[in-house]
Amino acid sequence: MKKRALLAVGVLAAVALTVAGTALSRGSSTPMLKGVVGPAYSVSLTKGGKKVTSLKAGTYRIAVSDKSSFHNSVLEREKPSKPKLEKHITGTAFTGSKTVVMTLKPGSWRFYCSVHESQMHQDFKVTK
């Protein structure tokens, strides 16, 4: 009877490790984008240290560092405009870092500060 109990515990432990490993590998395979807002009148969105000009459609982890309490950060699909895809990542009173996970669909996108959009934006394309 003890052998069966030990076998059952061993099988459960193996299953638990497999599930945990699968969950961790999924999280680490999500591509990372890094956004910076401020402190002056600038925004940037990079992937692997390079300015984002185009991306493949898919799910991305987006880490934004907001360095100013008078700017914010928004990621929005401009075209096509329907369905509306817009994510306000940081607000104007916020300084610090936030990370979101977002699915980017094909179209024209903009990363920007909605308070100073004419000066603070970066446009890029998402393709299939």
Side-chain angles (χ1 to χ4, degrees):
M1 190 59 133
K2 287 184 181 184
K3 285 184 181 182
R4 279 190 174 173
L6 285 175
L7 181 62
V9 168
V11 169
L12 287 174
V15 169
L17 288 172
T18 300
V19 169
T22 302
L24 287 174
S25 68
R26 267 190 237 141
S28 64
S29 66
T30 304
M32 174 70 84
L33 303 178
K34 293 188 179 184
V36 178
V37 180
Y41 288 86
S42 65
V43 297
S44 67
L45 187 66
T46 60
K47 180 180 179 197
K50 295 181 181 177
K51 180 180 177 180
V52 171
T53 57
S54 79
L55 296 168
K56 293 282 186 189
T59 301
Y60 292 86
R61 185 173 308 279
I62 304 157
V64 174
S65 175
D66 191 333
K67 299 181 177 190
S68 172
S69 62
F70 57 91
H71 296 310
N72 63 15
S73 61
V74 180
L75 188 58
E76 178 179 6
R77 184 169 71 168
E78 301 275 297
K79 294 179 184 171
S81 59
K82 292 187 180 180
K84 186 173 180 109
L85 298 172
E86 179 178 43
K87 178 69 176 173
H88 292 261
I89 301 170
T90 63
T92 52
F94 178 83
T95 56
S97 298
K98 284 192 179 177
T99 301
V100 298
V101 175
M102 190 168 173
T103 299
L104 303 182
K105 298 185 181 230
S108 299
W109 286 78
R110 177 171 274 196
F111 178 65
Y112 64 97
C113 166
S114 66
V115 179
H116 306 101
E117 185 175 357
S118 64
Q119 296 172 288
M120 298 177 65
H121 65 272
Q122 180 177 328
D123 298 323
F124 61 97
K125 300 277 186 204
V126 174
T127 59
K128 289 184 180 183

